[in-house]
Every structure is written in C-alpha cells, then in structure tokens.
Amino acid sequence: MSDQSVVVKTRKFMKNPLLSRRQMIVDIIHPGRANVAKAELQEVIGGMHKTASTLVVLFGFRTKFGGGKSTGFCVIYDNKDALMKFEPKHRLVRLGLGEKKERSRKAMKEAKNKGKKIRGTGASIAKHKAKRAAQND
C-alpha cells in the first residue's frame, strides 16, 4: 500500500519559542489510499524540517469527503525535554512516551458526584481531592 505516492504540504507555519517548538497545518494528498499512517508522516515531515522523527507530533487529522486529501496539525519540538514538558499526557501516551493511568469507571463517577455536592469556593478543592482519591483506587 505504501508504494503509492503521498504529497505532504505545510501551511500556516509558526515558530513558538515560548513552547520551544514549530507548529503548522499539514495537508496530505493521498489519492488511491484511505489514509496515511502517522509514523510514515513523522518520517516525511522530520526529513522536510531536518529533525528527528521522534520530535514530530501529529494530531487532529480529518479526511476530506470523497477521500484523497487529509488535513491535520503538526508540532515539531526543539528537544525531548520540551516535548515531555509541554505536550499533553494523552498525546505522550499515543507516542509511547508515557503510561496511561488505569482507573475504574466507578471511581471516576464517584469522584464526579462527590464534586457536584459541594458548592462555592471549596468546590475546586473538593474536586481535586475526589480526583486524587479516584486515582489512588
């Protein structure tokens, strides 16, 4: 399947020095293919921007109606430390750099309902404590 050509174009490129990364929108033209694997795109975009493919994070891809074109978002970090510091935990799990915390459905629901019972300024503190209790279960 990967022998068919794929065209990768970037637009709205922006350097973000505060988060030590470069970010852009990626357009992929892939006629004759349903979609393109993110691992394959990481290699291509890493080569385009002369960086390691491990520092490239891809997300939010949508295939246009009729197929043949997909659009998503790409972030290229300057180093591994910035990646670990600024990237959300769920995306680190997808990249294989973090571990998902297993929580039971019941514990999450109990935490939610406990937080709903408290009103006012103490609500955020109670929600935080309930979330901690759910994580420990």
Side-chain angles (χ1 to χ4, degrees):
M1 268 296 196
S2 63
D3 60 332
Q4 295 175 332
S5 63
V6 173
V7 179
V8 179
K9 295 180 181 176
T10 60
R11 61 188 167 92
K12 294 190 178 180
F13 179 87
M14 180 178 138
K15 284 187 180 174
N16 192 338
L18 290 174
L19 298 176
S20 35
R21 70 186 190 188
R22 295 167 278 176
Q23 52 199 49
M24 67 208 84
I25 293 176
V26 181
D27 293 323
I28 296 122
I29 300 164
H30 49 91
R33 289 178 71 171
N35 52 27
V36 186
K38 285 184 188 173
E40 187 179 332
L41 291 174
Q42 279 181 318
E43 295 287 331
V44 172
I45 293 171
M48 283 171 55
H49 291 274
K50 297 181 180 76
T51 185
S53 62
T54 56
L55 300 176
V56 178
V57 181
L58 299 159
F59 58 94
F61 277 86
R62 290 279 172 253
T63 305
K64 298 287 184 222
F65 179 75
K69 184 179 178 186
S70 298
T71 302
F73 201 73
C74 175
V75 174
I76 303 172
Y77 284 93
D78 295 341
N79 53 46
K80 182 103 173 189
D81 295 333
L83 173 77
M84 298 302 287
K85 183 177 179 184
F86 295 119
E87 198 62 19
K89 299 287 183 266
H90 70 277
R91 287 207 292 258
L92 288 174
V93 170
R94 286 180 196 167
L95 291 169
L97 299 172
E99 285 189 30
K100 184 180 179 185
K101 291 183 180 174
E102 292 294 327
R103 286 180 285 206
S104 69
R105 184 178 164 95
K106 185 177 180 182
M108 288 190 288
K109 284 187 172 193
E110 284 175 354
K112 174 189 65 107
N113 292 330
K114 199 171 191 179
K116 282 174 24 178
K117 290 176 186 167
I118 297 161
R119 293 182 50 170
T121 56
S124 62
I125 297 167
K127 283 180 186 174
H128 180 71
K129 285 183 179 178
K131 199 172 186 181
R132 276 276 171 85
Q135 285 179 351
N136 290 338
D137 285 349

